[in-house]
Amino acid sequence: MGFGQAISSGFSNYVNFSDRACRSEYWFWILFYYIGFAVAAIIDAAIGIYVLTGLYSLAVLLPTLALAIRRLHDLDRTGWWISLPLFR
């Protein structure tokens, strides 16, 4: 799966919590997330108002969670493993 295909798959399956996601789809999404966050942070620093990074994070929150849960399903784990850091 290529970069563009992984990003379109991430946005088109943003409410699909029951399927599986391959490794390349997950890591290309993470790369997209950090590149987008860096661009938003640079724009925020140039403008002086730090709101774009928050909006970007909210916009990709649900697709990121769905993709992480689908990746856990591909590893034969339940999606509840994503909440494990909350119980430390």
Side-chain angles (χ1 to χ4, degrees):
M1 179 173 287
F3 184 77
Q5 188 179 9
I7 302 310
S8 70
S9 174
F11 279 119
S12 65
N13 292 321
Y14 74 96
V15 291
N16 183 7
F17 293 95
S18 62
D19 205 6
R20 295 174 177 251
C22 64
R23 186 182 312 156
S24 62
E25 181 181 1
Y26 176 76
W27 286 113
F28 278 138
W29 181 265
I30 295 299
L31 179 66
F32 165 75
Y33 178 82
Y34 282 117
I35 289 173
F37 190 83
V39 168
I42 290 170
I43 292 171
D44 277 349
I47 295 173
I49 302 171
Y50 296 96
V51 70
L52 192 59
T53 54
L55 290 175
Y56 176 76
S57 295
L58 284 176
V60 296
L61 176 68
L62 191 59
T64 302
L65 286 175
L67 187 62
I69 289 172
R70 287 193 331 237
R71 182 65 191 143
L72 282 170
H73 289 167
D74 193 44
L75 298 172
D76 292 326
R77 303 254 193 262
T78 180
W80 288 103
W81 279 82
I82 202 156
S83 65
L84 190 64
L86 298 175
F87 300 113
R88 279 187 57 203

